[in-house]
Structures are given as C-alpha cells and as structure tokens.
Amino acid sequence: MIAPKNVINGLKVVDWIKAMKDELNEFERHNVWTLVPKSQGKTIIGTRWVFRNKMDEDGIIIRNKARLVAQGFCQLEGLDYHETFALVATLEAIRLFLPFPFFMNFKVYQMDVKTGYLHGDLQEEAPIAWYDTLMNYLLSSGYKRSKIDNILFIKYSGPHIILN
C-alpha cells in the first residue's frame, strides 16, 4: 500500500493504523512526554504524521513507517529555539567510505535507528544530546574518531575494521 498523503487517508487502511499505533507505543514505552500547562508567550508546536514505505533492494514494500513529528516550521527563532543541529555525514566522508568496502569486497550494512532520540534522559536539544551520548559510548568502546569526518568512528578488532 502506497504511503498516504495525510492522516485522514492513513486512518482508512489497517496497515497504516498499525504503523501509527507502533509509533505511539514506542512513545509510551519510553515515557517520552509529560503533559504540561501552556507557558505564557510561547507558541504551541503542533504535530503531524509522516508516512513512508520501507523497501527492499528490489523496490518491494516490506514495511510501513509512520512517524509523529513536531511541526518545527511553526517555531520562531529566539522565542521557541535558539540554535539548530542536524547531524549529517558529509559528502567527503561518504565518498571516502563507500569505495573502501567495495575495493576490499566487504559487505555494508545500513542500520535504522528507530527510536534513538527516545532512549535515555536528554536535558538539552535532543539531536545534540543523542549524538554526545552515542559519541561517548563509541569512544569508551574502543572506537577512534576519523580525522576526515568527526561523525565517522573506526574500530580495529583483530583483522576486522568496524566503521560507524
């Protein structure tokens, strides 16, 4: 079933209802939010459902994903937020990374971190705090930060090389 354009259409299909319930169950399981009274002078940020089909390498739909996201475009800089942070691999890192496993005949696995921001206590902006937690864990587990791109971590384990 192709991803619906809006929640009204999503609520008409059992598979999409299940995907939405799965997302809400993750929120509940990780105790993501607390209902608080509205603060004076603050904008209430709405939510929106985003629907995506996960496909295998042959383009066959294998799973439906529904994500409940904040409507950040309603925020005002300086009032609702003071800075932004988006952790993205640089094009240089991708260009350096991809030829290596191809040349060495290694398999590359991609991992979908489904609820990365929902784990642990985050006292600040979620993406920054989540990245700091992940970085500290990788460094304490023997990974070294790449000199090319500081979001690429390398670990040597005997004859194996693990890149994160």
Side-chain angles (χ1 to χ4, degrees):
M1 173 68 54
I2 301 297
K5 301 259 187 241
N6 56 49
V7 71
I8 293 168
N9 292 336
L11 289 171
K12 295 177 183 175
V13 180
V14 174
D15 289 343
W16 288 108
I17 293 170
K18 181 186 179 317
M20 288 187 278
K21 283 182 181 179
D22 289 346
E23 175 77 347
L24 293 174
N25 287 339
E26 288 295 323
F27 284 5
E28 187 174 317
R29 189 168 72 105
H30 294 290
N31 196 24
V32 170
W33 60 53
T34 303
L35 188 61
V36 296
K38 180 183 182 218
S39 298
Q40 290 293 348
K42 296 288 183 181
T43 306
I44 295 176
I45 306 300
T47 57
R48 158 181 215 170
W49 285 101
V50 177
F51 302 99
R52 295 281 183 265
N53 296 113
K54 291 291 282 188
M55 298 183 192
D56 65 11
E57 55 275 353
D58 297 324
I60 297 170
I61 297 172
I62 56 172
R63 186 165 55 105
N64 296 323
K65 288 176 65 171
R67 294 289 176 255
L68 185 61
V69 299
Q71 291 176 307
F73 56 83
C74 298
Q75 294 176 287
L76 300 173
E77 185 174 4
L79 178 63
D80 299 313
Y81 72 92
H82 299 286
E83 65 177 295
T84 60
F85 178 81
L87 187 60
V88 179
T90 64
L91 188 56
E92 291 82 13
I94 294 169
R95 283 182 177 161
L96 288 168
F97 171 77
L98 287 179
F100 182 74
F102 178 76
F103 176 75
M104 299 297 290
N105 200 25
F106 291 164
K107 286 186 180 181
V108 175
Y109 296 95
Q110 183 265 336
M111 184 176 78
D112 182 16
V113 180
K114 184 176 177 184
T115 58
Y117 295 129
L118 305 182
H119 293 282
D121 295 324
L122 303 177
Q123 302 302 321
E124 56 183 280
E125 185 101 12
I128 297 169
W130 188 82
Y131 173 72
D132 286 344
T133 302
L134 176 63
M135 176 192 66
N136 291 331
Y137 173 78
L138 291 172
L139 292 173
S140 70
S141 298
Y143 286 85
K144 303 286 186 223
R145 211 178 206 166
S146 166
K147 292 178 181 159
I148 296 159
D149 192 326
N150 60 6
I151 67 165
L152 178 63
F153 293 86
I154 303 168
K155 181 177 183 178
Y156 298 94
S157 179
H160 305 287
I161 300 172
I162 305 169
L163 302 170
N164 280 315

